[in-house]
C-alpha cells in the first residue's frame, strides 16, 4: 500500500518539478520585500489551509495556492528564481515560500503541515480515545526536493482527524458505510394475518375477543434479511449486512405487540387458540375508526452492521413499515323466549 502511495506522490512531485517557474501575479497585495542585495520578492500572508466547510460528502476545497517553505538560499539552490519565490515579511524575520503543485483529490498539499496529505490504506491502528467512528487516519509525506529542483519524498508522519483534510475527496469508513447503506432497497414485510382477506368483502374481518395471528409472509432478504452488500466508496471497502431483529405491530387500538421473530403462520388446525409467538385480541370494535377499520402497521427494526478493510466497524439502525386494515365487529347473542306447544 505504501509503495503505491509513494509512487503516486512521486508522480505528483515530478509534475511539481516541471512547474517550478510560476507566473508572478499582476499585483502583489502584500507589497514587495527586498533583501540586502536588492533582490526583491512579492510578499504574502502566512499560507494557511481553508477552514473546514464540508459539503454533503464531508469534503472541503483545498487551498487555491500551495506553498513550499524553505530558506531563501535553499529555494534558490533548488532552482527557483526570485520571480517564483514569495515572502512573508515579519519585520524582524522572513519566511520564504515557493509555489508548488497542490496535488489531487486523493493527496493534497497542506500549507500548515507542509506535506502531501492522504488517507492511509490497509488496516488502521486502534482509534485513540476521544475520536469518533467518523474519524479518519491520514498520512503526511514531506516534500524533499534535491538541488537542481529534482523532487523527492521525505519523512512520513500519520495523524487522526475528525474531518477530511481540505482538498481530499475521500470518505471516512463511517461516511462510506452510510452511503452504501443508503442504496439498500429494504422494504416492509408482507403481512401475514389471521383473519385473511375475504374476497367477498375485500378486506379482513374478525370479532372482539377472537385471537388475531400475526406473522411475516414469505420473508425475503429485502424484507427480513440477511441482506449483504460490499462496495468501495471514496477509498473505503465496506461490507454491510442488514437483518430484522424484531417487529413492532401497532394494532390501531392504542396497543402494540413486539415480536422478535417472523411469527407463526395460522392454519385451521389451530382453531381459536392464541398464536404461540405473535398475536393480539381486540376488546372493542372498530366502528369508531375511519372507514370502520383498524389500521395495523408492522414496523421492522433493521440494525445494519458494517465493517471496513481499515478495521473500522459500526451499526446503523433503520426501520421499514407496511400496513393493512382490519374490521373488528362484535358477536351479539340474542335471547329468545321459549314457546309452548300451544304457542
Amino acid at each position: 500500500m505504501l509503495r503505491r502511495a509513494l509512487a503516486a506522490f512521486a508522480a505528483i512531485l515530478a509534475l511539481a518539478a516541471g512547474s517550478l517557474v510560476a507566473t508572478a501575479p499582476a499585483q502583489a497585495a502584500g507589497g514587495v520585500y527586498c533583501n540586502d542585495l536588492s533582490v526583491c520578492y512579492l510578499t504574502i500572508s502566512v499560507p494557511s489551509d481553508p477552514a473546514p466547510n464540508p459539503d454533503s460528502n464531508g469534503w472541503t476545497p483545498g487551498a487555491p495556492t500551495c506553498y513550499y517553505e524553505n530558506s531563501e538560499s535553499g529555494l534558490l539552490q533548488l532552482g527557483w528564481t526570485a520571480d517564483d519565490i514569495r515572502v512573508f515579511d515579519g519585520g524582524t524575520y522572513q519566511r520564504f515560500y515557493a509555489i508548488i503543485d497542490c496535488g489531487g483529490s486523493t493527496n493534497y498539499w497542506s500549507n500548515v503541515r507542509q506535506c502531501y496529505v492522504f488517507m492511509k490504506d490497509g488496516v488502521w491502528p486502534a482509534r485513540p480515545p476521544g475520536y469518533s467512528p467518523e474519524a479518519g487516519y491520514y498520512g503526511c509525506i514531506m516534500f524533499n526536493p534535491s538541488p537542481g529542483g529534482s523532487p523527492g519524498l521525505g519523512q512520513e508522519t500519520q495523524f487522526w482527524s475528525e474531518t477530511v483534510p481540505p482538498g481530499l475527496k475521500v470518505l471516512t469508513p463511517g461516511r462510506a458505510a452510510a452511503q452504501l447503506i443508503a442504496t439498500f432497497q429494504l422494504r416492509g414485510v408482507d403481512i401475514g394475518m389471521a383473519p385473511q382477506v375475504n374476497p367477498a368483502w375485500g378486506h379482513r374481518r374478525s370479532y372482539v375477543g377472537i385471537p388475531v395471528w400475526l406473522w411475516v409472509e414469505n420473508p425475503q432478504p429485502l424484507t427480513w434479511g440477511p441482506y449483504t452488500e460490499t462496495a468501495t466508496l471514496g477509498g473505503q471497502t465496506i461490507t454491510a449486512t442488514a437483518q430484522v431483529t424484531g417487529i413492532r405491530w401497532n394494532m390501531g387500538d392504542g396497543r402494540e405487540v413486539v415480536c422478535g421473530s417472523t411469527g407463526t403462520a395460522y392454519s385451521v388446525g389451530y382453531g381459536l387458540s392464541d398464536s404461540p409467538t405473535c398475536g393480539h385480541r381486540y376488546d372493542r370494535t372498530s366502528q369508531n375508526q375511519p372507514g370502520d377499520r383498524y389500521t395495523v402497521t408492522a414496523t421492522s427494526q433493521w440494525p445494519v452492521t458494517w465493517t471496513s478493510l481499515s478495521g473500522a466497524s459500526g451499526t446503523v439502525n433503520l426501520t421499514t413499515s407496511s400496513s393493512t386494515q382490519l374490521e373488528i365487529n362484535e358477536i351479539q347473542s340474542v335471547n329468545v323466549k321459549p314457546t309452548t306447544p300451544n304457542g
Side-chain angles (χ1 to χ4, degrees), residues 26-79:
Q27 181 178 357
V32 175
Y33 164 81
C34 298
N35 64 17
D36 294 340
L37 300 177
S38 297
V39 179
C40 298
Y41 308 96
L42 297 177
T43 61
I44 59 173
S45 300
V46 174
S48 62
D49 297 330
N53 183 28
D55 60 15
S56 60
N57 291 304
W59 301 334
T60 297
T65 307
C66 296
Y67 297 95
Y68 164 63
E69 182 180 3
N70 204 326
S71 65
E72 178 184 12
S73 60
L75 294 177
L76 293 172
Q77 290 174 5
L78 289 169

Side-chain angles (χ1 to χ4, degrees), residues 113 198 342:
R113 293 179 180 273
N198 187 311
N342 295 324

Side-chain angles (χ1 to χ4, degrees), residues 180-188 221-223 227 229 302 320:
L180 173 60
I181 293 168
T183 68
F184 284 12
Q185 300 297 308
L186 306 177
R187 61 181 188 270
L222 287 173
T223 62
Y227 179 76
E229 283 195 18
W302 293 87
T320 58

Side-chain angles (χ1 to χ4, degrees), residues 157-196:
T157 57
Q158 299 81 36
F159 64 97
W160 288 86
S161 175
E162 290 286 353
T163 58
V164 177
L168 295 185
K169 292 186 176 181
V170 296
L171 297 175
T172 61
R175 192 169 291 272
Q179 289 195 8
L180 173 60
I181 293 168
T183 68
F184 284 12
Q185 300 297 308
L186 306 177
R187 61 181 188 270
V189 299
D190 296 325
I191 293 178
M193 182 186 292
Q196 298 181 346

Side-chain angles (χ1 to χ4, degrees), residues 224 244-247 258-263 277:
W224 185 261
V244 174
T245 56
I247 297 182
V258 179
C259 302
S261 69
T262 56
T277 53

